[in-house]
Amino acid sequence: MVKLITAEEARDIINGVRDMPCSMMHDNSCGWEAMERFLVACTKNCKVYIPVYMMNLLIFKWRRLLKEPIPMLSKTAVSIAKSTAFLSLFVSTLRGLVCATRQVRGRDGKFNAWLGGLIAPAAILLEAPQRRSELAMYIVPRVMEFGWNFLEKRKLVKALPHGEVLLFSIGMAFMMYFYQNEPKSIRPTYLGLLKRVFGEN
């Protein structure tokens, strides 16, 4: 059972006087909690990835689906399983490492979160190589945004008026460069969509 604390203990934790024990975070052992977190995440992530992959299959690959239904459905099922396992393992590993580091060090701290954040992303190796590059393309702008906000909060940089427009323009410039000069580097699904929007290169 999760341990209840007094108001005084809660104030001490908030003020950094004492650390938050694992018993406040979960009922069972840290290892069992990580496994349970993985299973719960799998259930939730399946609900996200099944519609995403099936929509992609029905919209962009319906001709191949009609010709080769079993191979296409099998390939889609494997992709769903890989993506679900990746995200679920990432979540459970991060939580588990934070707990494990707390147990080893005997205290909380930024290091616990940093270590978990450094190791947990290795779960991306479960994904197909092509999906890894897509996820990287999604993450990079988020990291840049975080970095900019971090510097802005510490007044090391100033906010740029209409900065989001500038970022969008830069992103479109990169996309159009590859569309014009290296179309083979673009995933066929996305390349087909670009051709519909912008016409044949």
Side-chain angles (χ1 to χ4, degrees), residues 43-62:
T43 303
K44 293 182 178 180
N45 293 331
C46 271
K47 296 177 181 178
V48 174
Y49 282 117
I50 289 175
V52 169
Y53 278 96
M54 290 306 296
M55 287 292 289
N56 179 63
L57 182 64
L58 294 173
I59 293 174
F60 298 105
K61 303 177 182 178
W62 61 272

Side-chain angles (χ1 to χ4, degrees), residues 94-151:
L94 180 60
R95 290 293 299 271
L97 282 171
V98 169
C99 274
T101 310
R102 182 189 295 119
Q103 296 289 346
V104 172
R105 299 181 68 218
R107 60 191 177 90
D108 281 318
K110 295 180 180 179
F111 176 79
N112 300 8
W114 276 103
L115 184 63
L118 183 65
I119 297 176
I124 199 173
L125 294 174
L126 293 175
E127 278 282 17
Q130 193 172 41
R131 278 281 295 161
R132 294 175 205 165
S133 60
E134 292 175 4
L135 290 168
M137 289 175 65
Y138 171 79
I139 291 296
V140 167
R142 306 283 82 77
V143 173
M144 292 174 63
E145 181 182 7
F146 167 78
W148 182 269
N149 292 337
F150 179 83
L151 295 173

Side-chain angles (χ1 to χ4, degrees), residues 139-169:
I139 291 296
V140 167
R142 306 283 82 77
V143 173
M144 292 174 63
E145 181 182 7
F146 167 78
W148 182 269
N149 292 337
F150 179 83
L151 295 173
E152 186 179 341
K153 185 177 180 181
R154 282 156 179 74
K155 298 182 178 180
L156 297 175
V157 296
K158 292 184 179 180
L160 291 175
H162 309 294
E164 65 279 3
V165 177
L166 175 62
L167 288 177
F168 177 78
S169 300

Side-chain angles (χ1 to χ4, degrees), residues 9 12-13 16-21 24 102 106-109:
E9 289 175 327
D12 288 344
I13 291 172
V17 177
R18 69 172 69 193
D19 297 319
M20 183 181 296
M24 285 180 55
R102 182 189 295 119
R107 60 191 177 90
D108 281 318

